[in-house]
Amino acid sequence: SAEVVAIVRVVTETKLDAHGAKRPKEDRFRDYLALLSSGTDAARKAALVSFADQLDNARSLVLSEAAGHGLLGRMNTAPDQKLRHLAELRAVLAPALTPAMLAAYDTATADLAATVAAWHLRTGA
């Protein structure tokens, strides 16, 4: 439906610029935050999709590290940058989320922060 297409457009990054070159990650993230903050109906619904995606990603990274898979060192986004993005994204998502959703997001982010801190100690990275 048109509604689903509008939501997908909000959560889909424009990875290439007009010349076909890959856009910097930070530029893509800033655009993503701006789209989620736009106040449109699609943006409000996309915030829920983004919340679910980020919550799952954070939890998966914690579980992956606990299982010894070492994903933190292989991510395209540096672990500390991921934590910063989660913090910035929280402020944008908060108006669309229930208190229970925010608590789950905060717990997952705190668990990931502890995992990243332990990873830094273990790897010296």
Side-chain angles (χ1 to χ4, degrees):
S1 79
E3 179 182 33
V4 172
V5 170
I7 293 167
V8 169
R9 283 191 178 135
V10 172
V11 297
T12 303
E13 290 181 345
T14 302
K15 291 194 178 193
L16 303 178
D17 66 17
H19 306 290
K22 189 171 182 179
R23 297 176 63 227
K25 176 85 174 155
E26 286 302 311
D27 290 351
R28 296 189 326 255
F29 183 68
R30 295 285 157 239
D31 288 350
Y32 183 60
L33 291 179
L35 284 170
L36 285 173
S37 300
S38 67
T40 65
D41 188 50
R44 284 188 295 280
K45 292 174 181 172
L48 298 175
V49 173
S50 182
F51 158 75
D53 181 46
Q54 296 303 321
L55 185 70
D56 183 65
N57 288 348
R59 288 173 172 171
S60 294
L61 284 169
V62 169
L63 292 173
S64 172
E65 285 301 306
H69 297 300
L71 287 183
L72 286 177
R74 299 192 322 246
M75 295 187 333
N76 289 332
T77 303
D80 293 321
Q81 183 182 34
K82 176 69 176 170
L83 290 171
R84 185 174 47 76
H85 284 177
L86 285 169
E88 291 180 46
L89 192 54
R90 185 195 189 281
V92 171
L93 297 177
L97 304 180
T98 67
M101 294 165 92
L102 280 173
Y105 190 92
D106 292 344
T107 297
T109 301
D111 290 348
L112 181 58
T115 298
V116 168
W119 174 78
H120 279 302
L121 288 173
R122 188 174 65 256
T123 65

